[in-house]
Amino acid sequence: MDDTRRRAVFSVGGLDCAACATAIERTVGGLPGVGTVVTDPVSRRVAVDYEVAHVSEQELRRAIEATGYRVEPNGPERPEQLIDREEESRSREYRRLMRKFWVSAVISVPVVLLSYPWLVPGLKGLPWLQRSSPTLLWLWRGLALVTLPILFWAAGDFYKSLWGAAKARSANMYTLIGVGIAAAWLYSTAAVIAPGMFPRRELAEAYYDVTAVVTALVLLGLALEIKAKGKTSEALKKLAELQARTARVVRNGSEIDVPVEEVRVGDVVLVRPGEKVPVDGRLVDGASAVDESMVTGESIPVEKVAGDEVMGATLNVTGSFKFSATRVGKDTALANIIRMVQDAQGSKPPIQRIVDRVSGYFAPAVLILGVASFVTWYNLGPSPGLAYATVAFVTVLIIACPCALGLATPTSLTVGIGKAAQHGVLIRSGDALQTARRLNAVVLDKTGTITVGKPSITDLVPAALPDVDLLRIAAGVERGSEHPLAEAIVRGARDRGLQPPEPNQFQAIPGQGVEATLEGRAVLLGNAKLMHERHIDVAQLEPTAEGLADAGKTPMYVAVDGRAAGLVACADTVKEDSRRAIARLKEIGLEVIMITGDNRRTAEAIARQVGIDRVLAEVLPQGKAHEVRRLQLEGRTVAMVGDGINDAPALAQADVGVAIGTGTDVAIEASDVTLISGSLRGLVTAIEVSRATVRNVYENLAGAFVYNAAGLPVAAGLLYPFFGVLLSPLIAAAAMAFSSLTVVTNANRLRRFRPSEV
């Protein structure tokens, strides 16, 4: 984002449903200079991209508050602190709602008893509590005062939101609840204060129980939702808790412990066995094995030596080491992971955008249905028509609250994307999550994706020398070369504890190999052409060399003092879990295709090793995106997996671009999904998480739609002509709260998700 544009994130109290979110998006989105507005009812966050020249953050805040919602004060920027603040805000909101609930519940007890004394055995026979008694009428008048705290204090938030939505020319769940309980209170007050205004005495009924009990039930439902929503972000909270609290820094020759917030770029940090790495950096001294499973999902500790990078929040397992801090605070890999997950959780998949549009029209439609129910019951219902009409009107408004509908998608999205992050998979958007479910083809780049990405020694074939001497001499000759194969040979010798000698008179022979004098001996290392030109007899080694080449390896002949000494073969080796991951991708219904710029013989050799049948070889970098496009034109939904700069166009072209987290920043930025560990197991996890999450979303939406589809006709009185049943507003309120709680509880089932063993 350039300097002219900024992004503001607000924590908004009272943001509970899709209709609430739509009201905010419509109001804030209408301001000049505002780009995208993303609301998340689960975390109660509103993210706004805006142009600083046209609108200020303060104006955005005022616009949100104008719709009737509370904007919490902005806190610190570190993601883990933001999560703590959101958790604290959620806990505070829960306590506030429960306080209002208990007050409403206590008041509701005498209200219900005096509203229905004939239903209570101990009160049933008392003459002063009979419906025709003047005493009961005076008691009902007292209820008008008793329920005022509920109407104006406990339900106060409903009316603030109702008024804000009305100013934004929209309606939300609070519109329906607020109008319903206010209509019940006003009707009841008119009935008990001026019963003479009603054409018949039996019309003067009191429904204060609706105001009191419905408010109490809605508040309880909202409080329980908040409690359940807190569990949906548990994965993100666990990520944030991984951060170390202190760091041991070397300053002025002394080791001192400082809070992790005080570590600066360039500081040298000491990490002992069993301690967490506090920030990101690069080793400058020492070596160790580091457990990165908490960030990457990889269970095997990774060996680290001087020059290697380490990530904050990972665990040092064996030795001590010092590293230079390169990224601190909100710039660390963990902070970026948390921020990406938060952004993804707040994004909207296509299905949610449809739900939002439906919810935007739903509340006004329910208001119209409520009025229609009132008119129908008043004109066609049994006597007293006004009383029945009021009950039907209030019940329709309350049961139809679209809270469950609004929570159906974001709650599942929050849990699903958080679980993926726990397993080392970053899903950048709701779009990517929903699309990944439909994948039926995956294109894998070879180098760095299926293979390790750098060559290593695979075979030693001795002839005139033992294999140890053969490798030692080959490494000595290659010490002067910068070729990747030369680096592989030198590294392989040192890994085996050998010390390569220093070469003399080193000379590279372009396209053929190298020659050097080593410990007084003339040594050649190169291909068959070099050997033939120097008249070295390698006939006995040629069949072996051809077999190695057919297996995708690069054989190099070694000759000492004019005699063939043996073969050294190198190759970019296959990652140890690539074959198992590819087999699993096939099992779940994907066609797996390999794409590479390598020659066909090498490509097909690698493909055979990992079980891939279709190979696109000798593809130029600019041709990879074209090949992906061609697969899409064949009707496939394609994922592209790569790690290099030359993969970025293909990643962007694919329906889902998947970057290897160990690859380049360009590839990661162009992708929809990032596999932090660099293992293809993460791709299996991403697809399985996607399928489980979208399935959970559909379950939630189906439940919410069925609830409203069944509840609205019953609330409007459809069953009355057949069974004499008219739904009570109290039951409607309980059903509304239960439906929302059911949606959140179902989403929390995703917390038990476990990826396949690969």
Side-chain angles (χ1 to χ4, degrees):
M1 193 174 292
D2 58 40
D3 293 338
T4 64
R5 299 191 64 83
R6 289 185 187 167
R7 188 168 193 263
V9 180
F10 303 95
S11 295
V12 180
L15 175 58
D16 294 302
C17 68
C20 309
T22 301
I24 292 176
E25 289 175 1
R26 184 180 295 130
T27 301
V28 177
L31 295 176
V34 171
T36 57
V37 182
V38 178
T39 55
D40 181 11
V42 175
S43 64
R44 294 186 170 186
R45 295 168 75 236
V46 177
V48 186
D49 292 331
Y50 66 98
E51 294 181 8
V52 294
H54 294 93
V55 66
S56 68
E57 187 170 324
Q58 191 61 35
E59 288 174 306
L60 298 175
R61 180 188 300 271
R62 285 197 295 267
I64 295 173
E65 291 177 337
T67 59
Y69 301 93
R70 303 182 312 280
V71 177
E72 306 286 348
N74 279 333
E77 291 188 345
R78 279 180 53 203
E80 59 269 28
Q81 292 174 316
L82 285 173
I83 293 171
D84 289 341
R85 185 165 61 85
E86 285 176 8
E87 185 68 22
E88 182 184 343
S89 173
R90 191 181 288 115
S91 177
R92 189 167 57 247
E93 181 74 354
Y94 172 78
R95 291 193 301 270
R96 190 179 73 88
L97 289 172
M98 288 302 295
R99 189 161 54 245
K100 290 189 173 187
F101 160 72
W102 283 115
V103 171
S104 302
V106 169
I107 294 175
S108 294
V109 173
V111 171
V112 171
L113 291 177
L114 291 176
S115 297
Y116 306 99
W118 49 88
L119 297 178
V120 182
L123 303 177
K124 188 174 182 180
L126 297 177
W128 52 278
L129 289 180
Q130 300 308 303
R131 296 184 68 166
S132 58
S133 168
T135 304
L136 182 60
L137 181 61
W138 278 103
L139 288 172
W140 279 355
R141 289 171 180 170
L143 294 183
L145 296 175
V146 171
T147 52
L148 279 177
I150 294 179
L151 192 68
F152 291 103
W153 174 70
D157 290 345
F158 304 166
Y159 294 105
K160 289 178 185 176
S161 179
L162 182 157
W163 178 243
K167 288 194 294 183
R169 298 180 180 179
S170 65
N172 57 32
M173 63 172 282
Y174 296 115
T175 304
L176 304 179
I177 297 170
V179 170
I181 62 175
W185 190 90
L186 290 171
Y187 180 90
S188 303
T189 302
V192 300
I193 293 178
M197 65 181 288
F198 291 84
R200 296 191 306 277
R201 172 66 184 84
E202 61 267 24
L203 293 179
E205 283 283 336
Y207 295 103
Y208 291 115
D209 55 300
V210 173
T211 300
V213 178
V214 167
T215 300
L217 288 173
V218 171
L219 289 169
L220 178 61
L222 290 173
L224 293 177
E225 273 178 34
I226 287 174
K227 199 76 169 176
K229 284 179 190 176
K231 295 180 181 178
T232 64
S233 57
E234 190 171 288
L236 198 60
K237 195 163 62 175
K238 286 181 178 178
L239 282 174
E241 289 171 352
L242 294 174
Q243 178 68 59
R245 299 299 176 214
T246 61
R248 187 171 292 107
V249 180
V250 179
R251 289 180 182 167
N252 301 321
S254 302
E255 297 175 8
I256 58 172
D257 288 334
V258 300
V260 71
E261 294 87 354
E262 296 181 13
V263 178
R264 301 187 295 265
V265 173
D267 276 343
V268 174
V269 183
L270 173 64
V271 184
R272 296 193 175 104
E275 293 180 341
K276 285 184 178 180
V277 179
V279 296
D280 296 0
R282 190 180 299 275
L283 259 71
V284 294
D285 185 35
S288 183
V290 177
D291 181 0
E292 298 181 340
S293 60
M294 59 286 298
V295 178
T296 67
E298 283 290 327
S299 57
I300 301 174
V302 180
E303 296 293 333
K304 302 287 184 179
V305 296
D308 288 343
E309 292 187 349
V310 289
M311 287 185 288
T314 55
L315 182 67
N316 182 27
V317 178
T318 54
S320 298
F321 61 84
K322 293 179 181 178
F323 72 92
S324 175
T326 56
R327 291 188 296 269
V328 301
K330 62 181 182 180
D331 297 323
T332 63
L334 178 65
N336 285 325
I337 289 169
I338 293 171
R339 189 157 46 245
M340 286 174 66
V341 173
Q342 283 179 317
D343 289 345
Q345 289 175 338
S347 66
K348 299 188 179 188
I351 191 171
Q352 177 63 22
R353 290 193 282 270
I354 295 171
V355 171
D356 286 352
R357 284 199 295 272
V358 171
S359 298
Y361 295 108
F362 187 77
V366 169
L367 283 172
I368 295 170
L369 179 62
V371 172
S373 299
F374 180 91
V375 171
T376 302
W377 275 94
Y378 183 77
N379 290 308
L380 304 177
S383 179
L386 185 59
Y388 279 102
T390 301
V391 170
F393 174 71
V394 173
T395 305
V396 166
L397 297 189
I398 290 170
I399 202 167
C401 286
C403 197
L405 197 61
L407 291 171
T409 302
T411 47
S412 299
L413 206 66
T414 298
V415 182
I417 290 176
K419 288 300 291 184
Q422 272 191 299
H423 292 284
V425 179
L426 293 184
I427 300 174
R428 296 171 69 97
S429 70
D431 274 13
L433 184 80
Q434 188 169 341
T435 304
R437 171 182 171 270
R438 298 185 287 106
L439 291 172
N440 50 33
V442 57
V443 179
L444 305 177
D445 178 53
K446 178 180 77 70
T447 306
T449 300
I450 297 174
T451 65
V452 174
K454 58 182 180 181
S456 58
I457 295 174
T458 59
D459 298 88
L460 291 171
V461 183
L465 291 175
D467 54 2
V468 173
D469 291 338
L470 176 67
L471 178 56
R472 178 175 169 274
I473 289 172
V477 173
E478 294 286 29
R479 280 186 63 174
S481 174
E482 296 179 354
H483 193 280
L485 293 177
E487 293 178 3
I489 292 173
V490 174
R491 185 174 61 251
R494 287 176 174 162
D495 288 346
R496 290 166 172 79
L498 304 177
Q499 186 58 44
E502 188 73 32
N504 297 318
Q505 300 177 351
F506 174 87
Q507 181 180 354
I509 305 169
Q512 297 184 20
V514 295
E515 63 177 332
T517 301
L518 195 72
E519 297 178 336
R521 293 183 288 183
V523 181
L524 290 172
L525 187 149
N527 55 25
K529 184 179 179 181
L530 176 63
M531 298 297 125
H532 293 153
E533 286 188 358
R534 299 299 179 91
H535 307 292
I536 307 294
D537 182 11
V538 291
Q540 61 177 345
L541 293 173
E542 284 180 340
T544 304
E546 289 176 5
L548 293 170
D550 288 339
K553 302 172 183 179
T554 302
M556 291 165 281
Y557 295 90
V558 179
V560 178
D561 291 335
R563 292 181 58 200
L567 281 171
V568 178
C570 292
D572 182 6
T573 56
V574 171
K575 294 177 182 177
E576 62 180 27
D577 55 4
S578 287
R579 183 178 180 84
R580 295 194 303 274
I582 289 166
R584 178 59 185 157
L585 289 170
K586 289 180 174 181
E587 287 175 12
I588 60 177
L590 276 74
E591 179 185 5
V592 183
I593 303 157
M594 187 174 80
I595 192 168
T596 180
D598 271 0
N599 65 75
R600 179 159 294 278
R601 185 167 69 169
T602 300
E604 289 181 344
I606 296 294
R608 283 194 299 272
Q609 290 183 49
V610 296
I612 293 178
D613 301 320
R614 184 172 176 181
V615 178
L616 303 174
E618 300 174 9
V619 179
L620 297 175
Q622 60 269 28
K624 290 184 177 181
H626 173 72
E627 293 292 345
V628 170
R629 176 63 177 159
R630 193 165 68 178
L631 289 168
Q632 290 170 325
L633 291 174
E634 293 174 5
R636 291 174 171 82
T637 304
V638 183
M640 169 69 195
V641 188
D643 76 325
I645 292 174
N646 61 354
D647 297 321
L651 291 171
Q653 173 65 49
D655 296 285
V656 177
V658 183
I660 299 296
T662 51
T664 66
D665 291 340
V666 175
I668 293 171
E669 286 300 317
S671 68
D672 303 300
V673 177
T674 301
L675 312 181
I676 304 173
S677 68
S679 168
L680 285 176
R681 288 185 301 173
L683 179 58
V684 176
T685 299
I687 294 171
E688 291 179 342
V689 165
S690 167
R691 292 180 177 180
T693 303
V694 175
R695 183 169 58 249
N696 193 270
V697 167
Y698 284 137
E699 291 169 356
N700 285 345
L701 287 175
F705 277 118
V706 167
Y707 161 78
N708 281 296
L712 274 173
V714 174
L718 183 65
L719 297 182
Y720 190 85
F722 307 102
F723 306 104
V725 175
L726 182 61
L727 192 65
S728 165
L730 309 185
I731 297 175
M736 184 271 291
F738 179 75
S739 69
S740 298
L741 193 59
T742 300
V743 163
V744 178
T745 302
N746 186 55
N748 273 310
R749 289 194 309 112
L750 284 170
R751 294 168 57 218
R752 299 197 295 269
F753 170 83
R754 294 289 182 273
S756 298
E757 292 292 333
V758 176

